[in-house]
Amino acid sequence: MTDTYNRPSVAKPVNLGSSAAGLAETWSARVAGAVNDVLVKVARIEGDFIWHNHPDTDEGFLLLSGDLVLDIREDDGTEHPVTLTPSDFYVVPRGVFHRPRSANGATITLFEAAGTVNTGNEGGSLTAPVDRPLA
Amino acid sequence: MTDTYNRPSVAKPVNLGSSAAGLAETWSARVAGAVNDVLVKVARIEGDFIWHNHPDTDEGFLLLSGDLVLDIREDDGTEHPVTLTPSDFYVVPRGVFHRPRSANGATITLFEAAGTVNTGNEGGSLTAPVDRPLA
């Protein structure tokens, strides 16, 4: 991934906060960089996403601004909310069903494997293009 | 790494900013979580680090607060500074020699492979324990 996203001679820092805040669409992450096989993405979100999982990758969430709750479904079927405040980082392990939601809107950074579909195997209208770079 | 650092039934969000700010030592990162094979670490830094590289892993830097310059050495031997402002993210590709420095101090998040030595193969007094978790 290094060759695709990071070029030492020309790459510039990406401001995650302003990049995320400037996105026109919600729930449609854009790639800001890559660390080995893990992509670093920014997104702007608002409202409820759908329950889904990613069988083959952990998914890290960093809340940049606003409010974010990750509903988590345990292996035994019980569910509980994980509430983040700005600068909080949380990892949803691979395979674990989760539902992100933001009552009043948020900007976030995501960390996950390249090729990850935002809705997992659930499909639906919230499914976004995979691994789109920032403009 | 999922099993080691992320346990969905008990894991809580980690506040990267306050975790980094609370570290007693500078230049000694602590692991806050893992996304697949990439560890997410927090550190507090001040002054000049040493020139080094990591042949086997990219290294992502996110500046949380304060000031950070990454001096970068190109393949042709030329050097140039990359200046970050808070919320800026930058990836030093594997193999690229670099020198982090912070004139007035900073808190940062690092993203790199497990097992990464902070000084690469350079050794010296700034070499810190590898992959220590947050207390």
Side-chain angles (χ1 to χ4, degrees):
Chain A
M1 305 308 300
T2 293
D3 292 336
T4 306
Y5 294 104
N6 315 313
R7 293 157 296 167
S9 59
V10 298
K12 291 182 167 53
V14 175
N15 192 273
L16 300 182
S18 61
S19 296
L23 294 174
E25 300 170 88
T26 56
W27 301 114
S28 188
R30 299 296 185 117
V31 178
V35 178
N36 302 339
D37 294 329
V38 170
L39 297 188
V40 178
K41 302 176 178 179
V42 292
R44 192 169 65 79
I45 65 173
E46 186 165 3
D48 291 359
F49 203 65
I50 62 171
W51 281 99
H52 68 285
N53 75 349
H54 306 291
D56 299 320
T57 182
D58 300 337
E59 186 171 39
F61 291 82
L62 170 60
L63 179 59
L64 299 172
S65 70
D67 63 281
L68 173 62
V69 175
L70 298 168
D71 293 317
I72 301 290
R73 187 175 298 158
E74 304 291 345
D75 288 343
D76 65 5
T78 60
E79 297 172 358
H80 72 275
V82 174
T83 301
L84 282 75
T85 56
S87 187
D88 272 356
F89 176 74
Y90 186 84
V91 177
V92 178
R94 63 188 64 190
V96 172
F97 274 87
H98 57 286
R99 176 178 60 186
R101 53 189 168 92
S102 174
N104 297 304
T107 56
I108 65 175
T109 300
L110 294 169
F111 306 89
E112 61 194 4
T116 301
V117 178
N118 67 333
T119 49
N121 297 316
E122 304 300 319
S125 63
L126 289 171
T127 303
V130 173
D131 297 350
R132 275 193 297 185
L134 276 167
Chain B
M1 304 309 300
T2 293
D3 293 336
T4 305
Y5 293 103
N6 314 312
R7 294 157 295 166
S9 59
V10 298
K12 291 182 166 54
V14 175
N15 192 274
L16 299 182
S18 59
S19 296
L23 293 175
E25 299 170 89
T26 56
W27 302 113
S28 188
R30 299 296 185 117
V31 178
V35 177
N36 302 338
D37 294 328
V38 170
L39 297 188
V40 178
K41 303 176 178 179
V42 291
R44 192 168 66 77
I45 65 174
E46 186 166 3
D48 291 359
F49 203 65
I50 62 171
W51 281 99
H52 68 285
N53 74 349
H54 306 290
D56 300 320
T57 182
D58 299 337
E59 187 170 38
F61 291 81
L62 170 61
L63 179 59
L64 299 172
S65 69
D67 63 282
L68 173 63
V69 174
L70 297 169
D71 293 318
I72 301 291
R73 187 175 298 157
E74 304 293 343
D75 288 344
D76 65 5
T78 60
E79 297 172 358
H80 72 277
V82 175
T83 301
L84 282 75
T85 56
S87 187
D88 272 356
F89 176 74
Y90 186 83
V91 177
V92 178
R94 62 188 66 191
V96 172
F97 274 86
H98 58 287
R99 176 178 59 185
R101 52 188 169 93
S102 174
N104 298 303
T107 57
I108 65 175
T109 300
L110 293 170
F111 307 88
E112 61 194 4
T116 302
V117 177
N118 67 333
T119 49
N121 296 317
E122 304 301 320
S125 63
L126 288 171
T127 303
V130 174
D131 297 350
R132 274 194 296 184
L134 275 167

